[in-house]
Amino acid sequence: MTTFSNEDVKYFADFVRIGLSEEDKENFSAQIADLIESVSNLKDVDITGVKPMTHPVAMINVLREDEPKDILDREVMLASAEDQEDGLIKVPDIL
Amino acid sequence: MTLTSKTATELQALLQKGEVTAKEVTEATLQTIEQQEEKIHAFIHVAKEEATKRAEQLDQEDASTRGRLFGVPIGIKDNIVTKDMTTTCASKMLEEFVPVYNATVIDKLEAAGAVNIGKLNMDEFAMGSTTETSYFGNTLNPWNTDYVPGGSSGGSAAAVAAGEIPLSLGSDTGGSVRQPAAFCGIVGMKPTYGRISRFGLTAFASSLDQIGTLSRTVEDNALLLGVIAGEDDNDSSSSVKAVPDFTAALTGDIKGLKVAVPKPYLGEGVDAEIATAVREAITVLESLGAICEEVELPHIQYAPTTYYVISSSEAQSNLSRFDGLRYGYHTENAENLEQAYFRTRQEGFGDEVKKRIIFGTYAMSADHHEDLYVRAQKIRTLIAQDFDSVFEKYDVVIGPTAATTAFKLGETGGDQLVHYANDVLAVPANLTGRPALSVPCGFVNDLPVGMQIMGKHFDEETLYKVAHAYEQATDFHKRTPSIQEGK
């Protein structure tokens, strides 16, 4: 049986900066252990020489000219930010 | 017959001839929504004022320049951004988020004269199969309100099935348009990856996501897809292929069409009564001249877990943009930047979203990346090759859309793994980028059953042709759910 401890949950949640309660850790550890157990069936497949499929439809990338253009007003773009000052987004202390 | 019981095509005939105004259609729609919403809760936001104003403006326009959806009401899944109208993704994280631009599909709908009636309920960030993970409460199935409408586009399907609106948009990452369409007894199309621009669709898993169309009839669906499909400068993954007139494909002629029926699609894990309904549907197709044969798909049993690894891995990257600083929910309890990130996400995301991000991070971590993510991408290649072989000989692949009828509310707790058998049927279309459509094909215990028709890349026309021929030969699409009958 696969195990995924509360500490494992915290370890991976910390990478993506998600805070969790003790109850969350307890719940997620069992659920993610089940997930890991279920995806272990992928190890049964022989993938020798198989290339990974990163895009569902074959495409040729087309690049446009690198020409700057105005898309939205600065004020419009900043309108959704929680806190702003002098045209910049304000964030809490970093240090 | 009331205005709201008409299809979009029927409404168009009346509107274009001036026999009814856009305002009258909008008013009738809003009235129906008012009656039905307390029973099914399909909408997160009903845009009453905006829709009324828009209809009035449309009625002033020159009759000679009216678009293909002139005056037709439509609902939009709440993960497609709408300028000046909240777009929540059914999450506390975006509860008050008002986008400053439109998704490309919204601009196209506006250009065609459609009236946006509002934003439809869904599983949070499209993660779920029941619409039970919505922060705003679940939607109920119009056929029986003890059951879920499916997910994640549950609101989009329920609103159409309940007669609130004739058309809606959903999004389909692993069956999220087709499965709720099947559960609610309507038509749901996930087109080829790239057929519709994803610009403005809030990303869940970018290599799998596709906007899809929901309607009561195949003809309406073909009409809607024709309006929103096509290349978009804002989405480099949108296809340059020309958009045909999909309604022209509705000829009813499927003589000689070659249909593949994968053995696993009617085998273990699929409810016996569902399998019977689909076998009967195949008999109908044969009576119309189609040639149906059983085929093998050697890697199909790995599709659900392959999907789960890839979708979670892509989700953990896509959802990193929700930091509480630039837009969306922002915690009040942070003394520094680090705490702001942690607490915003702790308070803003629901459990299903957190779980998938953490699992995706595990799958992408240095220790597991090769054995999970890269391996899943290679198995995705094998699954695609299985389908490529089948499509060398056959025009379409047919099976049930879902392995069961709708789940009872609370039955699964929204747990994705419970839906494993359904995923075998639904996710291959997303993994391989192929178009797939669900069309009603029966009832089990008064709950609808859907037949899935999957096709070649960019061959939506054949899917519509088959679905329309089948629809015309049966009358499942004519039955209305109990909520409309006031039971």
Side-chain angles (χ1 to χ4, degrees):
Chain A
M1 197 177 115
T2 306
T3 56
F4 197 77
S5 68
N6 292 11
E7 289 69 35
D8 291 332
V9 175
K10 185 179 181 316
Y11 177 76
F12 288 103
D14 280 354
F15 276 119
V16 278
R17 292 176 167 74
I18 294 179
L20 297 172
S21 66
E22 288 307 311
E23 193 187 348
D24 285 341
K25 288 179 208 165
E26 193 69 38
N27 289 338
F28 293 153
S29 64
Q31 291 176 26
I32 294 173
D34 284 348
L35 274 175
I36 295 168
E37 179 79 32
S38 79
V39 301
S40 66
N41 76 337
L42 297 179
K43 291 180 180 145
D44 302 340
V45 185
D46 181 5
I47 52 166
T48 313
V50 180
K51 287 186 177 168
M53 182 176 172
T54 53
H55 202 279
V57 179
M59 289 183 68
I60 299 163
N61 200 13
V62 181
L63 300 176
R64 68 176 178 216
E65 292 300 313
D66 186 16
E67 292 169 351
K69 58 180 178 180
D70 287 333
I71 299 169
L72 287 171
D73 239 32
R74 187 188 191 105
E75 289 204 357
V76 172
M77 283 194 277
L78 285 170
S80 306
E82 171 68 22
D83 206 359
Q84 50 173 295
E85 193 174 301
D86 298 334
L88 301 168
I89 293 171
K90 265 181 89 173
V91 301
D93 292 345
I94 292 174
L95 297 172
Chain B
M1 198 183 208
T2 60
L3 277 178
T4 51
S5 62
K6 293 186 185 303
T7 66
T9 308
E10 289 166 345
L11 282 175
Q12 268 305 276
L14 295 173
L15 283 155
Q16 298 282 6
K17 279 188 268 178
E19 289 181 18
V20 65
T21 65
K23 191 178 178 192
E24 285 167 341
V25 173
T26 301
E27 280 174 350
T29 301
L30 291 169
Q31 200 176 3
T32 304
I33 289 171
E34 205 168 306
Q35 289 161 1
Q36 306 286 42
E37 266 306 275
E38 65 181 55
K39 291 177 259 179
I40 61 166
H41 184 230
F43 281 85
I44 288 176
H45 170 67
V46 179
K48 197 173 175 180
E49 284 174 24
E50 299 97 317
T52 306
K53 196 173 157 194
R54 163 89 171 138
E56 285 170 350
Q57 283 171 349
L58 283 168
D59 284 328
Q60 301 303 315
E61 285 182 7
D62 188 341
S64 63
T65 57
R66 289 176 173 176
R68 282 179 287 171
L69 290 177
F70 173 80
V72 176
I74 186 164
I76 310 295
K77 186 173 180 178
D78 208 17
N79 60 351
I80 297 172
V81 298
T82 41
K83 190 180 180 197
D84 300 330
M85 188 184 290
T86 53
T87 299
T88 69
C89 291
S91 178
K92 181 180 179 182
M93 186 63 91
L94 291 174
E95 186 176 8
E96 293 171 16
F97 174 58
V98 181
V100 295
Y101 65 98
N102 271 335
T104 298
V105 289
I106 303 298
D107 282 339
K108 288 192 172 200
L109 287 173
E110 285 190 2
V115 177
N116 178 4
I117 295 294
K119 305 303 289 289
L120 293 157
N121 202 11
M122 54 183 281
D123 281 301
E124 185 179 3
F125 285 103
M127 296 178 187
S129 303
T130 63
T131 316
E132 288 171 295
T133 68
S134 168
Y135 174 67
F136 300 98
N138 43 271
T139 298
L140 306 176
N141 192 313
W143 292 90
N144 185 331
T145 52
D146 291 337
Y147 291 80
V148 303
S152 63
S153 309
S156 300
V160 171
E164 295 184 329
I165 40 174
L167 302 173
S168 68
L169 292 187
S171 68
D172 192 316
T173 305
S176 283
V177 163
R178 292 159 285 151
Q179 182 252 32
F183 282 7
C184 290
I186 61 168
V187 181
M189 166 69 106
K190 182 206 87 76
T192 312
Y193 185 87
R195 180 59 102 178
I196 302 174
S197 168
R198 289 180 296 114
F199 180 73
L201 168 67
T202 309
F204 162 12
S206 307
S207 80
L208 306 167
D209 294 339
Q210 185 58 210
I211 288 173
T213 47
L214 298 109
S215 60
R216 275 173 238 143
T217 65
V218 176
E219 187 177 22
D220 274 8
N221 210 290
L223 172 70
L224 177 57
L225 180 61
V227 168
I228 62 169
E231 188 188 2
D232 179 13
D233 285 347
N234 286 325
D235 176 6
S236 63
S237 69
S238 69
S239 172
V240 298
K241 282 190 188 294
V243 179
D245 176 2
F246 296 114
T247 58
L250 311 181
T251 60
D253 179 13
I254 58 166
K255 280 193 188 70
L257 186 101
K258 295 204 75 180
V259 176
V261 183
K263 283 182 190 167
Y265 280 14
L266 292 171
E268 199 183 342
V270 176
D271 273 10
E273 288 165 306
I274 300 263
T276 301
V278 173
R279 282 199 187 94
E280 284 170 6
I282 290 167
T283 308
V284 172
L285 293 176
E286 285 176 329
S287 73
L288 295 170
I291 301 154
C292 304
E293 293 172 353
E294 284 195 337
V295 297
E296 302 282 353
L297 290 168
H299 299 93
I300 197 73
Q301 73 267 34
Y302 301 106
T305 44
T306 299
Y307 162 79
Y308 210 86
V309 169
I310 293 171
S311 64
S312 300
S313 301
E314 293 186 9
Q316 70 94 26
S317 168
N318 279 325
L319 270 64
S320 65
R321 71 190 59 177
F322 299 103
D323 57 14
L325 302 174
R326 290 165 298 159
Y327 47 80
Y329 176 78
H330 174 79
T331 185
E332 297 296 325
N333 308 308
E335 288 166 14
N336 56 48
L337 187 64
E338 184 108 295
Q339 275 186 12
Y341 290 141
F342 275 89
R343 291 184 184 170
T344 290
R345 290 170 180 153
Q346 177 170 7
E347 295 160 21
F349 286 141
D351 284 355
E352 186 65 26
V353 174
K354 286 176 191 159
K355 185 180 81 181
R356 294 200 196 201
I357 293 174
I358 296 166
F359 174 69
T361 308
Y362 169 84
M364 293 293 269
S365 65
D367 286 349
H368 305 285
H369 176 260
E370 281 294 322
D371 243 10
L372 277 177
Y373 181 69
V374 175
R375 177 171 279 270
Q377 293 284 49
K378 289 182 178 178
I379 297 171
R380 184 181 187 178
T381 301
L382 294 172
I383 293 167
Q385 287 171 350
D386 288 350
F387 279 95
D388 289 344
S389 300
V390 169
F391 279 106
E392 280 176 13
K393 295 178 193 158
Y394 297 91
D395 298 301
V396 292
V397 168
I398 280 181
T401 306
T404 64
T405 50
F407 318 114
K408 258 199 159 166
L409 274 166
E411 188 178 45
T412 68
D415 187 341
Q416 184 66 28
L417 287 179
V418 176
H419 311 300
Y420 192 89
N422 281 337
D423 289 347
V424 168
L425 301 164
V427 303
N430 304 81
L431 290 171
T432 66
R434 293 181 179 283
L437 169 154
S438 179
V439 62
C441 77
F443 288 86
V444 173
N445 297 327
D446 292 327
L447 288 169
V449 177
M451 171 169 65
Q452 177 174 246
I453 309 168
M454 193 198 291
K456 295 175 182 174
H457 289 122
F458 298 102
D459 189 21
E460 289 85 3
E461 286 168 289
T462 300
L463 304 194
Y464 282 134
K465 183 183 286 187
V466 178
H468 180 70
Y470 175 76
E471 185 187 69
Q472 297 310 301
T474 56
D475 62 359
F476 300 118
H477 64 293
K478 291 178 183 163
R479 284 177 62 172
T480 52
S482 51
I483 203 114
Q484 279 193 50
E485 292 153 11
K487 286 176 194 166

